[in-house]
Amino acid sequence: MDDIEPIVSVVICTAETFDHCREAIDHWRAQTIVGRIEMVVVGPSRERMKVDEAVLEPFQGFRIVEASEVRITGHATAAGIREATAPFVIYAEEHDYPDPHLAENVMRVFDQGYNAVGWAMENANPGLVSYAHLYLQFGPSAAPVESGEVDRLVGHHTAYRKSVLLAHDHRLEDVMCKEDALHLFMRDRGERFYMCGDAVSRHVQISDLGHLMVHEWVRHRALACRRIETMGWDLGKRLLFAAGAPLIPFVRVRRALSALSRAPERRRELMPWIALVMLLAATAGAFGEALGYLLGGKTQALEKAAPVELDRFAFVSPRDARSPIVSRMGANRR
């Protein structure tokens, strides 16, 4: 396939070994357009990753990017994007499993002139806490969703025209740490987003309430720091937003419940307890956000968030860890 150019580069990261992302790579290898996909694996070193190159042979090509220690996911992703050769890029999470037509359907949308395309997400480990995580963090993409132009997409589940990302090359690490800030910038420039509802991936959610609350706290502390840096807020603006943090959980839960209303049977099954779980998690996030406005701490927050993104199976509930679907998905980790 050397004479065929890749149409999309899929970037996947691991802080440990290749086996940590093997299951996800297997799903990308099953794509209908695998012969047009370049797989970019980012990790500590070839020796430490123990890359199984035979698994990567079906792709149009592959690249191994040695990034020393992978401590912040966005930094590793940026390194992979810079090495990618295709005109479009997708960041693939190790706990996200696309259906075989996802890449084909997403790439078809780019022909219509969009620069960012998202897809639908299904819960790979259904349960009260995992659904709370799904709708609280990824509500706009939670299946079912209709295909069409949208106002917003979610981070880590968006494909980009690579040239759009490289326009931020001088700060690409920061951009990939907080994609929603990138989306705001793109929207302000008049760029359009598309949600591809017929492209679906199964996503393993955090399903332990304690882990979810810690993740929310860390993630939103990093969000606050990113806003301060991007918008150049002075102390007065930071104090104002910190004071308003107690209102954030109610706004987020209202939005999440609105997304849940797209699945009425699921809503009837999960209410009212899912609202309480989301409120607890969002409250933890609000405290983290207020702390970020007051004290900063972006690097520390991003480093604490990385394990959740790179080793999701360590953050599921004991029940999920024993379930057939999660244990099978994590079986490749030796």
Side-chain angles (χ1 to χ4, degrees):
M1 291 185 235
D2 290 342
D3 57 336
I4 301 176
E5 295 294 324
I7 188 174
V8 58
S9 296
V10 174
V11 178
I12 194 163
C13 307
T14 177
E16 298 296 337
T17 67
F18 182 81
D19 285 336
H20 271 69
C21 51
R22 182 186 292 264
E23 178 74 20
I25 289 175
D26 283 346
H27 279 76
W28 286 102
R29 191 172 60 167
Q31 294 294 300
T32 55
I33 60 167
V34 62
R36 302 296 306 278
I37 296 175
E38 175 186 61
M39 178 58 65
V40 182
V41 182
V42 184
S45 67
R46 280 178 177 266
E47 181 179 5
R48 183 171 170 183
M49 282 190 284
K50 299 180 175 63
V51 177
D52 186 350
E53 294 191 2
V55 174
L56 303 175
E57 287 299 330
F59 295 103
Q60 190 281 335
F62 64 88
R63 291 173 179 268
I64 309 301
V65 180
E66 297 178 298
S68 185
E69 294 296 320
V70 178
R71 299 172 61 188
I72 297 177
T73 309
H75 294 183
T77 306
I81 290 170
R82 289 193 175 100
E83 291 292 326
T85 65
F88 302 97
V89 293
I90 294 174
Y91 166 54
E93 296 181 303
E94 53 86 40
H95 51 276
D96 192 54
Y97 308 114
D99 70 31
H101 296 276
L102 185 143
E104 179 181 3
N105 290 338
V106 168
M107 288 302 106
R108 189 180 296 122
V109 174
F110 280 112
D111 293 339
Q112 302 174 33
Y114 292 95
N115 287 337
V117 180
W119 56 87
M121 298 168 57
E122 291 182 349
N123 193 348
N125 54 323
L128 180 64
V129 176
S130 63
Y131 272 124
H133 181 208
L134 176 67
Y135 283 100
L136 195 61
Q137 186 173 347
F138 305 109
S141 294
V145 291
E146 294 184 1
S147 295
E149 192 164 318
V150 294
D151 291 331
R152 61 187 295 239
L153 297 171
V154 300
H156 290 187
H157 294 83
T158 300
Y160 299 97
R161 197 177 299 272
K162 185 184 174 185
S163 59
V164 171
L165 297 180
L166 290 187
H168 304 271
D169 189 49
H170 62 291
R171 58 188 184 95
L172 187 58
E173 287 79 4
D174 285 338
V175 166
M176 298 314 299
C177 283
K178 209 62 197 164
E179 290 173 62
D180 50 1
L182 169 66
H183 295 171
L184 287 173
F185 177 82
M186 293 174 66
R187 192 166 60 189
D188 287 346
R189 288 171 53 109
E191 299 192 35
R192 298 178 300 151
F193 303 150
Y194 191 94
M195 172 59 68
C196 190
D198 55 356
V200 182
S201 67
R202 291 181 301 153
H203 188 261
V204 178
Q205 306 298 140
I206 299 172
S207 55
D208 177 90
L209 180 56
H211 286 316
L212 178 57
M213 293 178 70
V214 171
H215 178 63
E216 281 286 315
W217 186 88
V218 168
R219 194 172 74 88
H220 281 266
R221 183 172 184 178
L223 169 63
C225 296
R226 178 72 181 132
R227 282 178 173 168
I228 292 169
E229 290 181 354
T230 302
M231 302 178 186
W233 287 352
D234 59 19
L235 180 60
K237 192 72 172 285
R238 291 162 62 181
L239 289 173
L240 178 64
F241 271 72
L247 300 176
I248 295 173
F250 301 100
V251 174
R252 294 185 65 207
V253 171
R254 179 180 60 80
R255 289 174 178 170
L257 292 177
S258 177
L260 179 58
S261 66
R262 295 196 303 266
E265 291 185 8
R266 186 178 300 158
R267 182 185 174 102
R268 286 193 295 270
E269 177 187 349
L270 296 174
M271 286 292 286
W273 298 111
I274 190 172
L276 176 60
V277 173
M278 288 193 292
L279 187 60
L280 289 171
T283 299
F287 275 111
E289 190 165 336
L291 192 63
Y293 291 132
L294 296 174
L295 301 179
K298 182 185 74 171
T299 299
Q300 180 186 19
L302 290 173
E303 288 180 352
K304 286 185 176 180
V308 180
E309 298 171 349
L310 298 174
D311 191 11
R312 177 59 55 85
F313 291 92
F315 298 89
V316 300
S317 67
R319 177 188 65 85
D320 281 1
R322 294 190 299 269
S323 69
I325 186 169
V326 174
S327 61
R328 177 179 60 79
M329 287 177 175
N332 279 323
R333 297 167 188 237
R334 294 185 286 270

